[in-house]
Amino acid sequence: MAVGRLVLEGRVSVVGFNLGLLVVFTPVLTSVASHMNWAFDGFAGIRGKVAVAVYLAVVNGMLLCLYKGAVYQVAVRAFFLGFTFGCGLLISFSQTAWTHFGWYMCSLSFFHYSEYLVTAIINPHSLTLDSFLLNHSVEYTVAAVSSWVEFTLEMFFLPEMKQCSCLSLAGLFMVLCGECLRKSAMLTAGSNFNHIVQNEKAQSHVLVTAGVYSCFRHPSYVGWFYWSIGTQVLLCNPVCLLGYTVASWRFFRERVEEEEISLILFFGEDYLDYKRRVPTGLPFIPGFRVES
């Protein structure tokens, strides 16, 4: 993996994400302003809401002054993700029944931001706003919103369902392992990695079989698959857990087959030999079947 100097958009995203992350200090600021009263009431109090609103307005104004056009779009998206991560941390460490949702917010925001940052590091030529994967698909958005709705409804009507800490910890473990595996795959593949299935072989495109690719043919998909399911285990969402499992399995089955057709065309017998030796890593997904 060759890593050069981080491109402008990557550096701007780091600035934006960290500015958003600074929201974790709003409880301290509001406490100081309230005669050193250090008891944090989350965002429920008026002071907390006002502090967050002012912070959002000030930072957005600053980003508008510093950056223009597409660079501003990068900055504001990274800021939003950093802000979400910071809010997730605040919820995670506060005395609330929504602690596990705070874990989820951190997991979701870090996944999307790290997709952009790692792409900026390994393959800046393919870097676009779509590299955040925030607009992955309508189905992806519907799935995310559905999980939020399910969690909220069950929190209000069946709150005991959301207090299974062991299950949520297992989900968090799945999320962390899936995230690490996916990013390891991206870093190992380097400039060969792309969020879009390639139909034409680039001159620099090589077959990667080392590192995590020696264990799975599609480690980035394996990581994303278990990350996705893990988020619903973390939230203790039984309905969405089933839905995510089925939908993710079907998506990756089609994606793997589509990608392997291109890989066989690109690398011929080398890929077929690799395919015989190494599994996809995804349950009950053998990949594209080649007629003997």
Side-chain angles (χ1 to χ4, degrees), residues 248-275:
S248 296
W249 185 87
R250 293 180 63 182
F251 171 78
F252 287 118
R253 182 191 61 182
E254 295 173 2
R255 181 79 173 228
V256 164
E257 291 180 355
E258 178 188 359
E259 185 170 305
E260 291 200 335
I261 292 173
S262 295
L263 291 169
I264 291 170
L265 291 174
F266 292 170
F267 303 109
E269 193 59 36
D270 287 340
Y271 188 79
L272 290 174
D273 179 62
Y274 172 62
K275 185 176 185 296

Side-chain angles (χ1 to χ4, degrees), residues 5-227:
R5 183 170 177 266
L6 192 61
V7 295
L8 172 63
E9 291 83 357
R11 299 196 302 273
V12 168
S13 76
V14 172
V15 172
F17 186 83
N18 282 288
L19 283 173
L21 190 57
L22 290 177
V23 72
V24 297
F25 293 108
T26 54
V28 177
L29 297 177
T30 55
S31 295
V32 170
S34 183
H35 308 292
M36 301 301 290
N37 174 19
W38 295 92
F40 174 48
D41 60 355
F43 299 120
I46 296 299
R47 290 195 307 273
K49 289 185 173 66
V50 171
V52 170
V54 170
Y55 182 68
L56 287 172
V58 169
V59 173
N60 186 55
M62 184 175 68
L63 294 177
L64 278 169
C65 293
L66 290 173
Y67 307 116
K68 304 297 180 184
V71 179
Y72 167 75
Q73 295 299 327
V74 170
V76 77
R77 282 165 173 76
F79 171 72
F80 165 74
L81 292 171
F83 177 80
T84 303
F85 189 92
C87 290
L89 286 177
L90 289 175
I91 294 171
S92 298
F93 289 100
S94 60
Q95 298 299 316
T96 173
W98 292 73
T99 298
H100 298 153
F101 197 81
W103 297 358
Y104 168 81
M105 290 173 65
C106 291
S107 303
L108 184 67
S109 56
F110 183 79
F111 171 82
H112 284 285
Y113 175 67
S114 60
E115 288 289 307
Y116 187 89
L117 181 61
V118 173
T119 302
I121 294 171
I122 64 171
N123 195 4
H125 296 296
S126 70
L127 189 67
T128 68
L129 288 175
D130 290 338
S131 300
F132 282 109
L133 298 185
L134 290 171
N135 56 341
H136 180 270
S137 65
V138 174
E139 293 82 1
Y140 183 84
T141 303
V142 170
V145 173
S146 297
S147 72
W148 308 339
V149 171
E150 181 183 350
F151 183 88
T152 303
L153 290 176
E154 290 172 354
M155 174 62 77
F156 280 109
F157 296 107
L158 298 166
E160 62 279 359
M161 284 183 60
K162 303 303 180 184
Q163 304 308 314
C164 187
S165 296
C166 291
L167 189 60
S168 291
L169 282 171
L172 182 61
F173 180 75
M174 290 176 65
V175 164
L176 293 174
C177 290
E179 177 75 36
C180 289
L181 178 58
R182 178 166 173 84
K183 295 313 182 291
S184 295
M186 293 174 69
L187 291 167
T188 301
S191 61
N192 296 285
F193 183 89
N194 199 301
H195 283 119
I196 301 173
V197 175
Q198 302 297 291
N199 296 316
E200 295 184 6
K201 184 176 182 293
Q203 189 173 359
S204 61
H205 199 173
V206 298
L207 178 60
V208 180
T209 60
V212 290
Y213 286 86
S214 65
C215 300
F216 311 119
R217 294 204 306 273
H218 300 278
S220 66
Y221 295 160
V222 176
W224 196 352
F225 177 75
Y226 287 107
W227 176 90

